[in-house]
Each structure stands twice: as structure tokens, then as C-alpha cells.
Amino acid sequence: MNDVIQKMQRPALVAAVLGMAATGAGYFVAGPTQFFQSYLMGFLYILAFACGSLGFLMIHHLVVARWGLVIQRPLEAATRTFPLLVVLFIPVLLGMSELYSWTSPEAAHDHILLKKAAWLNETGFYVRSALYFVIWLALAYLLSRWSLQQDQQPAQAKVLQLRMRMLSGIGLVVFGLVVTFASFDWIMSIEPKWYSSIYGSLVMVGQGLSALCLMAIVTHRLRATTPHDRLATPQQFHDLGNFMFAFTILWTYMSASQYIIIWSGNLPEEVEYYLHRSVGGWPELAGAIAVLLFVVPFLVMLFKSNKKRSGVLAAIAVYILLLKPLDLFWMVLPVFRHHVEVHWLDVAALVGLTGLWMVAFLRQLSARPLLPQHDPRFVAMLAHPEEKEEGWESDASDA
């Protein structure tokens, strides 16, 4: 195993063992209701890494660009964690009665929920959830398999590249629909009388930002290895930073648009979402999210030099990922908690599930070469590497 990857895996393993042990104990100490609320947030947090990586992997193959070559294998490794996510989704299914009010007997007497019963029913939830994972698994498996075949069959490299590009074109459309409907089922239906047509896109953009942050951190650490020390240039990090900057702005724009449209429409079935978040410290949390997850990253990433230096970009990515749970807290918990309150099980589930996912991700990353060996773009990059820009050598010392 690569020494750099092994160093990253040790703290992840410790977090997985301690966090999952505390989470399991929390079921008995704090009770099932608290356990399933905390577990759902942790699961959604790690799901974002896999889904966001799958989306960017398909974009990378579709546009046939060089910017994604240094993160292609990390993206593939992240998508190969979907089998683990299938297993980790089982507790969500077991806790449906604690999470989704439309599963209760009282829902049969609510005229609004009766109109949505064709969609909001347990059988449909099981079938759709299975379908979501089947599609994600199929896309991840094919793209990862053909990428490996490129390494093993150099003569077929261009054919396999075209095959991945064609699948990505179709797959991105399907992927967008799947993530949208999954977000409706797993998050939005926590408050079943409310709906927003932009919700799926908002979740998808958040997943993309999480994946980009993960790639920035991993690529920064891999710069201590060969040939990343030569190929992960300031321009590569600048491109990655520009994506992070754009997704930060897009996520904020979509969040603000959803609020403005719903509040100005003032329809009872829509404003309920924001009424739940209008008291008990939730407005203050919304303000904190706006400042910490938009204003601060926006101001830092305005400067080109901050995006070109891998250490600075990785620090920004760590900052965003540490604060990302605030957004999940805002999306999931107000219907359960009338006041802003962080339970110790929220932290334990987040740490345990993230550590467990990171262990699986890093093992997948170490299982294959860190760069696609015979991809035509990679061959061109080796032949004509980008020149190192001013500040590159000094920045390399902190890899």
C-alpha cells in the first residue's frame, strides 16, 4: 500500500472503530429515535462523497478534458464504495417509522398525505431505493471496469475511452434523475406535506461540492508521490479550486432562490418548511451557515493564488467539509427538534460513518494505479507536462 495512503488510513480506522462503537451504544443509551435521526445525517454525509464523485467522473469522461486526470482514480475509488453504502443504508430502512411520519397509521387520516400515498408508501420506498442503488452500482462498475481495462489493454485505450464517454453522456441524465428522486424520498419526505422542485438539484450541488473538497485534500496529499509530484501542477489545483468556487456560489444561489420563491408564493403547503425553521435558534443557524459556508469560502477563493497552492486549497476543503454537517442539520432536524440542539450521538454517527467510509475509500484507492496508465490524455500529459509556475516549489514542501 502507498505510504501516503496508509498514513491517511490510520486516523480513519481509529475514527471508524470509536465512532461506530459509540453510535451502536447510542441506540441503547439515547434510544431508537435519537439513533436513527443521527444515523440518517451521518449516512447522507458520506453518500455525498460517492454520488458527487460519480457525477464528476462522468463529467470528466464526457468532456474529455485533462483537468480530471489526476483525480480520476480517486473518483473511481469513491464510486466503488457504493456496495458499502448499500449495507449502511439498512438501518435507515429499519428506522423508517422513526424518521418518516407518512409511515404512521395517523397518515391514513390526513387528506394531504392520502393524495401522495401513491408515492409515499413503504413498498414504493423499498423498490425505489433498491433501484437507485442498482443504477449507481451499475454506472460505477462499468466506468471503473473499463478504466482498469485501459491499463491492461493499451491497444483498446481509445475504444474504451469512447465507450466511457458514451455511457457518461447517458449516465449523467439518469444520474440527475436518480439523485433528485432519492433526495425526495430520503430527505424531503421527512416533512411529507412540503415540496420543492429545486430540492433535488440543491442536494446534487451539495454532493458535488463535498466530492470536490475530498478530491482537493486527497490530491494534495498524493503530491508526495510519483508522478503526482510532477503532474499535479498549480494549474490542476486552480481548475479544481474554480470548480469548488463555482459550486459554492451555485449552492448558495439555489438555496436563496428556493427561499425567495417559496416565501413570496406564501402557499401553506410550501412555507411549512420555513415555519419549522423560524424559531428556536434555527434562523440564527441559517445566518451562520450563510456566513461560514458561503461568505468565508467565497472571499478566500476569490484570490487566484489561494486556488493554485495545494496546501491552501486543501485547507479550504477541510474547512468546508467540517462545516458541511450544519447544512444537513438544517435540512433534516428542525421537524424533530424545535430548538437547535446538538446531541453527542450526532457527532458519534458522523465521525464513525465518515471514518468507516474513508477506510473503504482508501483501500479502493490503493488497489489500483493512482493514474490511468494508457488513457490517451494521460499519455499526452506525460509527454507535455505543464510548466511549474511561480510558488510551485515552495508549495510542494508542505505536501
Side-chain angles (χ1 to χ4, degrees):
M1 181 184 294
N2 185 291
D3 289 340
V4 173
I5 297 177
Q6 193 171 25
K7 289 179 181 178
M8 290 190 287
Q9 195 171 44
R10 289 169 187 163
L13 185 58
V14 173
V17 172
L18 297 180
M20 292 307 292
T23 302
Y27 179 87
F28 302 99
V29 175
T33 300
Q34 180 62 57
F35 170 83
F36 288 118
Q37 292 173 14
S38 301
Y39 187 92
L40 178 63
M41 285 198 301
F43 176 79
L44 293 173
Y45 184 79
I46 60 174
L47 178 69
F49 294 130
C51 284
S53 295
L54 180 58
F56 265 100
L57 181 61
M58 290 188 288
I59 291 173
H60 163 65
H61 287 307
L62 183 62
V63 300
V64 197
R66 288 174 56 174
W67 57 260
L69 282 173
V70 294
I71 63 171
Q72 179 177 326
R73 287 300 162 82
L75 289 173
E76 291 173 359
T79 64
R80 292 198 299 275
T81 63
F82 274 114
L84 172 64
L85 291 171
V86 172
V87 176
L88 294 178
F89 185 68
I90 294 175
V92 178
L93 296 177
L94 297 176
M96 284 179 62
S97 61
E98 301 286 349
L99 295 171
Y100 305 105
S101 60
W102 50 266
T103 62
S104 66
E106 291 78 12
H109 305 290
D110 190 305
H111 72 282
I112 296 179
L113 295 183
L114 282 175
K115 292 180 180 179
K116 298 185 176 184
W119 183 273
L120 294 180
N121 61 82
E122 293 188 37
T123 301
F125 188 93
Y126 294 143
V127 172
R128 289 192 302 273
S129 296
L131 181 61
Y132 303 151
F133 279 113
V134 167
I135 293 173
W136 288 331
L137 284 165
L139 289 171
Y141 171 77
L142 290 174
L143 291 173
S144 191
R145 179 172 178 265
W146 292 338
S147 178
L148 181 61
Q149 287 180 349
Q150 271 192 329
D151 289 351
Q152 300 169 341
Q153 304 171 20
Q156 298 295 315
K158 291 187 178 180
V159 173
L160 291 166
Q161 183 188 53
L162 179 60
R163 191 180 297 174
M164 288 186 284
R165 187 180 186 187
M166 293 177 65
L167 176 63
S168 297
I170 300 170
L172 275 171
V173 177
V174 177
F175 172 80
L177 293 173
V178 170
V179 172
T180 296
F181 289 124
S183 65
F184 289 168
D185 280 337
W186 299 346
I187 314 176
M188 193 166 71
S189 73
I190 292 174
E191 300 173 75
K193 295 182 183 180
W194 173 77
Y195 65 90
S196 168
S197 58
I198 203 175
Y199 197 82
S201 300
L202 179 60
V203 171
M204 200 182 317
V205 171
Q207 291 177 343
L209 180 58
S210 293
L212 287 168
C213 291
L214 176 65
M215 294 303 114
I217 297 167
V218 171
T219 308
H220 167 68
R221 295 296 300 274
L222 290 178
R223 284 185 56 207
T225 66
T226 303
H228 275 78
D229 57 346
R230 185 162 64 96
L231 298 181
T233 64
Q235 185 57 46
Q236 296 284 336
F237 285 101
H238 184 236
D239 293 339
L240 194 55
N242 282 339
F243 274 117
M244 289 171 56
F245 185 58
F247 269 65
T248 298
I249 296 173
L250 183 58
W251 171 79
T252 306
Y253 170 77
M254 296 180 75
S255 299
S257 296
Q258 177 177 267
Y259 173 78
I260 293 170
I261 292 171
I262 289 177
W263 198 256
S264 62
N266 199 28
L267 299 176
E269 63 272 21
E270 294 182 354
V271 298
E272 180 183 20
Y273 180 83
Y274 291 103
L275 291 177
H276 285 154
R277 292 157 175 80
S278 62
V279 293
W282 294 108
E284 290 76 12
L285 178 63
I289 292 173
V291 173
L292 296 175
L293 280 173
F294 170 63
V295 175
V296 174
F298 176 83
L299 292 177
V300 174
M301 287 191 285
L302 270 178
F303 297 95
K304 185 177 181 180
S305 59
N306 289 339
K307 290 177 285 187
K308 285 198 168 189
R309 297 180 65 88
S310 71
V312 176
L313 188 65
I316 297 170
V318 170
Y319 169 84
I320 292 174
L321 290 181
L322 286 176
L323 294 177
K324 248 317 188 163
L326 292 178
D327 185 40
L328 287 173
F329 202 83
W330 163 268
M331 295 172 73
V332 173
L333 290 183
V335 71
F336 300 117
R337 306 176 192 177
H338 299 301
H339 301 276
V340 174
E341 179 185 356
V342 180
H343 195 277
W344 65 265
L345 192 51
D346 298 334
V347 179
L350 188 66
V351 171
L353 288 170
T354 303
L356 185 61
W357 186 88
M358 284 298 299
V359 169
F361 163 69
L362 292 171
R363 285 184 176 177
Q364 290 293 339
L365 184 60
S366 64
R368 297 185 180 182
L370 294 176
L371 289 163
Q373 301 300 298
H374 300 293
D375 188 297
R377 293 164 293 178
F378 179 63
V379 175
M381 181 181 284
L382 284 176
H384 305 285
E386 296 166 342
E387 294 184 2
K388 296 180 180 180
E389 303 180 24
E390 185 178 356
W392 167 257
E393 294 295 343
S394 59
D395 190 35
S397 62
D398 61 5

